[in-house]
Amino acid sequence: MGVKAVIFDWGGTLTPWHDIELADMWHAICSAHLPPEDVEKAARALVENELELWRRGSEDHLSATLAELFELAGVEPTEELLATKFEMWTPHTHTDPAVPGLFQDLRERGIKIGVLSNTLWSREWHERIFARDDVLHMLDGAVYSSEIPYAKPHAEAFRCAMAAVGATDPASCVFVGDRPFDDIHGAKAAGLRAVQIRHQTTAAFSRPGLTPPDALIDRLDELLPHIDGWGG
């Protein structure tokens, strides 16, 4: 069967991977908006609870939201604080330069384009990023785990992403991601083909006994020959 849809992970896939010091990021955000005597406690609570929510997603396959994070940490998410968080992440959210051309090539082949991201962020934040980088209009559908009960690698997350682009047969879909467990093993278990994009910390997300990808690439501009080879 030919490829009818290609669904992409976001961070580390559509955006180049960046190593982030989460504690430094939260400390800077809190310092800009909270009384000095509250900064250390609030930043520590945000880091600890965010890591726990990511652990829950990876191990229990349950989603989470920014609102849940702030509630657990006991921090009031003012509009100003949220704006600072978005701004501080901006250097790490820019879409890979290869993406517009790749999306255009896929569209010319009649292939639907989707996004499935494990994220605490809202759809509005992600769409703001895609619009800024002039690729939002090229997406046929997107699913953000913050909007559904599950996170990758849960099969339901992949089924939701397929539905978002109008695909019904997982064998006609390809998932592209960087994480061996959440992205590759999860997609394969749900019946999709999977392409893994490698970066400097990919190995840190691996674990024994995972299903291997159908293809390995180092850059997004290496993807299209695989799609064409599968009858895309």
Side-chain angles (χ1 to χ4, degrees), residues 91 95 157 213 228:
T95 303
D228 288 340

Side-chain angles (χ1 to χ4, degrees), residues 13-218:
T13 301
L14 291 178
T15 67
W17 178 260
H18 291 84
D19 290 311
I20 305 294
E21 289 294 337
L22 193 62
D24 292 345
M25 184 82 76
W26 275 122
H27 191 277
I29 293 167
C30 291
S31 295
H33 297 282
L34 300 181
E37 63 272 18
D38 295 338
V39 168
E40 295 296 335
K41 180 181 178 181
R44 183 168 58 251
L46 286 161
V47 171
E48 291 174 356
N49 282 284
E50 181 166 355
L51 292 175
E52 172 58 22
L53 290 177
W54 286 119
R55 182 211 61 77
R56 188 180 78 180
S58 180
E59 296 183 11
D60 302 329
H61 313 163
L62 298 174
S63 63
T65 66
L66 267 182
E68 184 178 5
L69 169 59
F70 283 113
E71 182 177 358
L72 289 170
V75 175
E76 176 65 28
T78 64
E79 290 299 320
E80 293 78 12
L81 187 149
L82 289 171
T84 296
K85 175 176 171 58
F86 188 87
E87 289 174 12
M88 292 197 69
W89 272 93
T90 295
H92 311 294
T93 64
H94 287 287
T95 303
D96 189 300
V99 167
L102 173 60
F103 280 8
Q104 184 60 40
D105 287 337
L106 291 172
R107 289 171 68 87
E108 289 174 357
R109 286 162 170 77
I111 296 173
K112 299 292 187 180
I113 300 168
V115 170
L116 173 59
S117 177
N118 281 358
T119 179
L120 305 183
W121 293 5
S122 66
R123 173 176 295 270
E124 189 274 330
W125 275 25
H126 287 282
E127 290 189 345
R128 196 191 315 176
I129 289 165
F130 286 133
R132 178 199 67 198
D133 296 343
D134 199 28
V135 294
L136 178 61
H137 67 287
M138 304 177 83
L139 297 177
D140 294 292
V143 171
Y144 305 103
S145 64
S146 58
E147 297 181 326
I148 62 175
Y150 306 104
K152 296 176 293 182
H154 197 290
E156 188 60 27
F158 291 94
R159 286 192 283 267
C160 287
M162 288 173 51
V165 297
T168 57
D169 187 349
S172 70
C173 300
V174 176
F175 189 79
V176 184
D178 63 312
R179 299 201 177 203
F181 180 52
D182 298 356
D183 295 333
I184 306 308
H185 185 81
K188 295 287 287 182
L192 292 77
R193 286 191 177 96
V195 177
Q196 182 178 349
I197 184 166
R198 294 178 288 202
H199 52 66
Q200 65 267 32
T201 57
T202 295
F205 300 118
S206 190
R207 59 181 71 183
L210 296 183
T211 308
D214 294 286
L216 279 166
I217 59 176
D218 294 300

